């Protein structure tokens, strides 16, 4: 992961440590919006989507729409 | 398969019959054979539906060595899945939990809906690409185990070969048709677990007979005498005992549990106890019921999970506790006999035992059933060879 944002990366690792998938969905989604590289964005959005699915986070439909539009999800 | 059991010696009239021989209680190979013939091939009890009261509630367990996941899906349907991911076979759910959204595999994060459908396969086509032409999600849902709920018990047919539940259990369902009404689990004070060092079949056998009551349960016998009991034998599916002198429990100010509705008079003072083959022991009374689910854990170990039910959601807590405690005492009194019979079966010259033709009918009925199922299983194995 190269977010060029040490703070966000730390937050993501802490949320992983705490198994806080609700927060992870938000952090990954935030990260996906910030990266400039499209492949990176799809990777991070995928991470966010899975966490949103697991935690039933409302972000899941927006993420799904994004991924599907780019041919990354069914 | 090199086992031989003289099934003819078991499946004849009780006056001449012998019980199942030692190997059926102590030999790991026979235990494994019975796992298939007597448990996977039947409708066996796994748990009670009340253990997963709300959508998303999930409980992993191991049933006869197989990892299972009991859950209540988002549409309120109780389901049983194999707790194994369709990708690399990782265990999906490790601890009892509430599934908020999807079940995410802890390995590569494939996600399943609570109804078993595979909903996402992250990065399966490479980083950031969650689809692939060779990954057909509709074919990769969780493996569901056939299940049915009756009297709150979650019954499962592991190999999918049993007749429909209603067909298989028709006689027992009919016998207790008056009790086909809502059962309310008494909650945390109305369940407990006993670990016993015996083959699961000995727990079935001890439960279905009343011959032991005067010696093992002398307290019970003071108001529920041996002569007030009758044998119940339904060859091929269940056996047990009934009492004609059931007396309701009452509390300090003479309060009682409410009755099930519209019962015929017969039940005023009667109660019945059935061993439903293979592994569920049920009891019913005018004012409460219980289920004991036997979970075999090797040839010489069994876990008994016990649950009490009432006709109403709202029952007196102190009275419920008193009832649970009273039954617990009785069930505990049985432990030394089932464990003693288990040890007794290491006596190499024991021949399966001589039945009392008058008193051991329910036990013989169970052995007849078990022998017929194992015989059929061996015949099929033999034919396959
Ligand atoms: S084993 Fe479950 S996702 Fe790989
Ligand atoms: Fe007993």
């Amino acid at each position: 992961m190269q977010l060029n944002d040490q703070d966000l990366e730390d937050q993501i690792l802490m949320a992983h440590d705490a198994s806080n998938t609700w927060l992870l969905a938000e952090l990954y989604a935030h990260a996906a919006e910030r990266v400039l590289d499209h492949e990176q964005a799809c990777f991070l959005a995928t991470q966010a989507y899975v966490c949103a699915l697991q935690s039933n986070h409302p972000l899941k439909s927006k993420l799904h729409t994004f991924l599907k539009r780019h041919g990354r999800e069914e | 398969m090199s086992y031989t059991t003289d099934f003819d010696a078991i499946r004849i009239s009780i006056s001449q019959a012998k019980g199942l021989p030692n190997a059926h209680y102590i030999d790991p190979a026979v235990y494994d054979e019975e796992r298939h013939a007597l448990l996977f091939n039947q409708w066996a009890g796994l748990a009670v539906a009340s253990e997963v009261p709300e959508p998303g509630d999930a409980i992993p367990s191991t049933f006869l060595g197989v990892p299972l996941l009991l859950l209540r899906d988002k549409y309120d349907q109780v389901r049983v899945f194999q707790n194994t991911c369709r990708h690399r076979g990782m265990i999906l759910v490790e601890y009892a939990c509430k599934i908020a959204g999807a079940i995410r595999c802890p390995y590569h994060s494939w996600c399943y809906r609570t109804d078993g459908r595979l909903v996402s396969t992250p990065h399966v086509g490479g980083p950031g690409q969650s689809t692939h032409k060779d990954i057909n999600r509709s074919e990769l849902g969780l493996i569901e185990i056939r299940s049915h709920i009756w009297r709150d018990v979650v019954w499962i047919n592991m190999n999918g070969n049993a007749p429909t539940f209603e067909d298989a259990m028709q006689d027992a369902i009919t016998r207790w048709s008056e009790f086909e009404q809502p059962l309310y689990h008494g909650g945390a004070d109305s369940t407990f677990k006993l670990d016993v060092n015996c083959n699961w079949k000995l727990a079935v056998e001890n439960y279905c007979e009343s011959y032991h009551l005067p010696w093992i349960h002398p307290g019970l016998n003071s108001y529920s005498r041996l002569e007030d009991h009758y044998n119940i034998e339904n060859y091929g599916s269940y056996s047990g005992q009934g009492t004609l002198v059931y007396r309701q429990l009452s509390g300090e100010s003479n309060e009682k549990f409410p009755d099930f509705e519209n019962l015929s008079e017969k039940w005023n003072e009667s109660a019945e106890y059935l061993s439903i083959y293979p592994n569920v022991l049920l009891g019913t009374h005018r004012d409460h019921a219980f289920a004991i689910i036997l979970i075999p854990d090797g040839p010489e170990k069994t876990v008994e999970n016990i649950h009490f039910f009432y006709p109403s959601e709202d029952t007196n807590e102190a009275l419920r506790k008193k009832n649970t405690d009273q039954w617990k005492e009785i069930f505990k009194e049985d432990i030394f006999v089932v464990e003693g019979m288990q040890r007794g079966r290491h006596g190499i010259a024991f021949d399966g035992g001589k039945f009392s033709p008058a008193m051991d009918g329910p036990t013989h009925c169970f052995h007849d059933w078990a022998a017929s199922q194992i015989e059929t299983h061996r015949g099929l194995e033999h034919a396959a060879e």
Side-chain angles (χ1 to χ4, degrees):
Chain A
M1 199 161 37
Q2 284 179 328
L3 294 175
N4 293 323
D5 183 337
Q6 195 56 48
D7 193 39
L8 184 54
E9 285 194 33
D10 286 349
Q11 285 182 54
I12 287 175
L13 289 179
M14 270 158 56
H16 269 292
D17 275 348
S19 301
N20 187 342
T21 40
W22 178 276
L23 180 58
L24 277 172
E26 295 175 355
L27 294 172
Y28 274 122
H30 183 55
E33 279 175 0
R34 296 191 43 174
V35 287
L36 300 175
D37 178 66
H38 180 61
E39 284 306 314
Q40 279 275 332
C42 287
F43 175 88
L44 292 164
T46 301
Q47 296 291 102
Y49 176 54
V50 165
C51 294
L53 273 179
Q54 185 187 354
S55 59
N56 202 24
H57 195 293
L59 273 173
K60 71 184 176 191
S61 46
K62 194 179 142 200
L63 288 159
H64 183 255
T65 307
F66 171 83
L67 290 165
K68 199 168 167 182
R69 175 151 38 90
H70 294 288
R72 306 307 177 104
E73 186 48 270
E74 291 178 12
Chain B
M1 185 73 54
S2 58
Y3 305 107
T4 52
T5 303
D6 183 0
F7 293 110
D8 292 341
I10 299 160
R11 304 199 64 199
I12 52 172
S13 147
I14 187 169
S15 60
Q16 304 302 319
K18 286 188 174 136
L20 286 163
N22 287 347
H24 290 262
Y25 298 86
I26 63 176
D27 185 327
V30 177
Y31 171 80
D32 190 53
E33 189 184 29
E34 291 187 351
R35 194 168 78 112
H36 291 277
L38 301 185
L39 292 147
F40 289 177
N41 200 37
Q42 319 289 337
W43 285 101
L46 171 70
V48 294
S50 301
E51 291 176 74
V52 284
E54 290 171 12
D57 286 345
I59 301 180
S61 67
T62 304
F63 183 67
L64 297 148
V66 182
L68 296 180
L69 180 62
L70 168 73
L71 63 74
R72 187 177 291 267
D73 75 16
K74 287 284 138 72
Y75 310 99
D76 213 25
Q77 187 179 334
V78 174
R79 296 175 183 266
V80 179
F81 297 109
Q82 193 167 274
N83 191 13
T84 305
C85 180
R86 293 295 303 273
H87 176 220
R88 297 290 302 126
M90 177 68 184
I91 289 288
L92 283 170
V93 177
E94 197 73 47
Y95 304 104
C97 62
K98 165 102 66 201
I99 309 286
I103 302 164
R104 181 178 65 83
C105 176
Y107 199 177
H108 312 93
S109 290
W110 286 20
C111 292
Y112 302 88
R113 290 195 197 284
T114 51
D115 61 10
R117 281 178 295 160
L118 179 61
V119 61
S120 189
T121 49
H123 314 303
V124 81
Q129 173 53 265
S130 300
T131 68
H132 187 281
K133 68 176 177 44
D134 294 325
I135 303 291
N136 183 347
R137 291 182 186 174
S138 67
E139 291 171 354
L140 293 168
L142 293 181
I143 305 287
E144 184 158 8
I145 310 294
R146 203 175 167 209
S147 65
H148 185 96
I149 296 170
W150 180 54
R151 299 189 68 73
D152 203 47
V153 174
V154 181
W155 309 76
I156 55 172
N157 172 219
M158 291 284 289
N159 70 5
N161 291 341
T164 64
F165 184 85
E166 289 84 354
D167 281 347
M169 299 294 180
Q170 190 179 21
D171 291 354
I173 294 171
T174 306
R175 180 180 195 96
W176 282 2
S177 57
E178 287 189 52
F179 291 94
E180 270 324 305
Q181 37 185 308
L183 290 175
Y184 297 92
H185 194 291
D189 58 40
S190 297
T191 181
F192 60 92
K193 169 183 124 142
L194 296 173
D195 293 299
V196 290
N197 292 314
C198 74
N199 184 278
W200 63 276
K201 297 193 297 303
L202 289 173
V204 174
E205 295 164 21
N206 175 64
Y207 181 79
C208 68
E209 59 115 307
S210 54
Y211 190 13
H212 70 283
L213 299 185
W215 305 107
I216 307 304
H217 311 296
L220 194 62
N221 201 57
S222 65
Y223 64 88
S224 178
R225 299 164 309 159
L226 192 51
E227 56 265 43
D228 296 321
H229 285 79
Y230 55 94
N231 292 350
I232 299 168
E233 292 152 33
N234 197 83
Y235 276 77
S237 62
Y238 66 81
S239 56
Q241 49 173 311
T243 173
L244 301 168
V245 291
Y246 172 63
R247 281 213 234 118
Q248 281 186 279
L249 184 68
S250 49
E252 303 213 323
S253 41
N254 207 31
E255 66 273 26
K256 293 189 167 71
F257 293 120
D259 285 331
F260 287 103
E261 283 175 13
N262 304 317
L263 296 181
S264 54
E265 233 168 68
K266 161 191 172 177
W267 294 104
N268 285 352
E269 291 183 325
S270 288
E272 287 192 346
Y273 308 94
L274 302 180
S275 292
I276 310 277
Y277 310 157
N279 69 328
V280 178
L281 316 178
L282 299 177
T284 197
H285 317 74
R286 58 188 283 179
D287 60 353
H288 75 284
F290 61 76
I292 304 174
I293 300 170
L294 304 172
I295 305 293
D297 184 19
E300 309 202 48
K301 267 191 192 324
T302 302
V303 177
E304 302 186 358
N305 291 318
I306 298 143
H307 300 272
F308 295 87
F309 304 92
Y310 295 94
S312 145
E313 208 166 357
D314 178 33
T315 45
N316 182 299
E317 186 184 336
L319 201 55
R320 271 199 326 264
K321 281 186 180 148
K322 190 170 168 184
N323 196 32
T324 305
D325 288 346
Q326 188 169 301
W327 278 113
K328 193 190 269 182
E329 277 316 300
I330 294 168
F331 297 152
K332 278 182 168 172
E333 287 171 347
D334 285 310
I335 293 178
F336 93 93
V337 280
V338 293
E339 293 189 341
M341 285 194 288
Q342 182 66 34
R343 285 189 288 131
R345 274 160 179 69
H346 287 273
I348 52 176
F350 182 66
D351 62 354
K354 175 68 184 163
F355 290 123
S356 153
M359 303 305 293
D360 285 325
T363 310
H364 178 250
C365 185
F366 176 61
H367 281 204
D368 176 80
W369 170 83
S372 78
Q373 301 299 318
I374 301 162
E375 194 171 19
T376 305
H377 179 80
R378 284 185 188 173
L380 290 174
E381 292 248 301
H382 193 69
E385 272 164 17

